[in-house]
Amino acid sequence: RRLAVISRRKLKTWDPDTGWSASTTETRSIAWALCDKLRSTVYGNGLPDARIDLQSFYDLDATWADRQDHLDVVFDTTTESDEADQLMARAGRARCVWRNGVRTIVRDEPQAIPAAAYTGRDIVPGSVSLRYGTDVAKVPDAIIVQYLSHRTWEWATVTCKAPGVVTPTNPEY
């Protein structure tokens, strides 16, 4: 009548050099549990890797591993997707946020912030010239819009190309 179960979560992990692991490994990682939820089309958001900031998750996974922060949660009731993300991230003192159409994670921790202040006393008169230039390589040549189709009730995407662009190479969500 008494039944004891030891359950262990097995997930794929990501590395910036090799990508996703070929097989699943036993892990209690907060980062990989969140990524699994974000990528899953069955119980998660179904996001492609391009819409997940994997580098931030990888960096925070190293921090959490050093601190021995783990995620041991069981979802046994229906929960909204964003609430589930925040609950999982909170295990590592973090929050999931959307930044430019990409799901990323931020953690409240001390960080060094570069600061500099220059006044007229620091600059030789007439020695300053100022030019503004835009980084053309980072300018998107198309916009990808995602919307909920009222006919099929599924998410659909439309690519809106910039004038004169035949095949977009740098689209942005």
Side-chain angles (χ1 to χ4, degrees):
R1 294 197 170 195
R2 292 184 179 174
L3 179 67
V5 176
I6 298 174
S7 62
R8 296 187 173 121
R9 177 177 57 226
K10 289 182 131 186
L11 300 172
K12 290 188 176 190
T13 58
W14 184 83
D15 185 89
D17 298 326
T18 59
W20 287 104
S21 60
S23 61
T24 58
T25 58
E26 182 180 321
T27 180
R28 295 171 65 195
S29 169
I30 301 166
W32 307 134
L34 266 163
C35 285
D36 180 62
K37 187 254 180 210
L38 292 172
R39 293 177 72 218
S40 174
T41 56
V42 177
Y43 52 83
N45 300 53
L47 295 176
D49 287 349
R51 304 264 324 266
I52 303 171
D53 184 7
L54 294 171
Q55 186 64 48
S56 293
F57 283 97
Y58 178 79
D59 294 341
L60 276 179
D61 183 56
T63 301
W64 289 328
D66 288 343
R67 291 175 42 88
Q68 297 182 357
D69 289 343
H70 304 292
L71 178 66
D72 298 320
V73 65
V74 175
F75 290 100
D76 55 358
T77 58
T78 304
T79 306
E80 287 187 16
S81 180
D82 190 58
E83 287 179 21
D85 291 349
Q86 302 313 332
L87 176 73
M88 294 166 76
R90 216 174 357 202
R93 292 185 46 214
R95 287 198 48 90
C96 283
V97 294
W98 286 102
R99 186 180 299 144
N100 295 331
V102 176
R103 195 65 162 166
T104 187
I105 190 162
V106 292
R107 184 172 187 273
D108 186 18
E109 59 188 347
Q111 296 180 5
I113 299 174
Y118 296 103
T119 65
R121 289 185 283 165
D122 300 321
I123 301 171
V124 175
S127 66
V128 176
S129 65
L130 195 58
R131 288 182 29 195
Y132 293 100
T134 58
D135 187 5
V136 180
K138 293 186 178 182
V139 175
D141 56 0
I143 303 292
I144 299 174
V145 179
Q146 189 177 28
Y147 66 95
L148 183 63
S149 172
H150 69 280
R151 293 187 178 149
T152 63
W153 289 100
E154 292 188 11
W155 287 100
T157 58
V158 173
T159 303
C160 305
K161 296 180 255 182
V165 175
V166 178
T167 305
T169 57
N170 190 20
E172 187 172 307
Y173 281 88

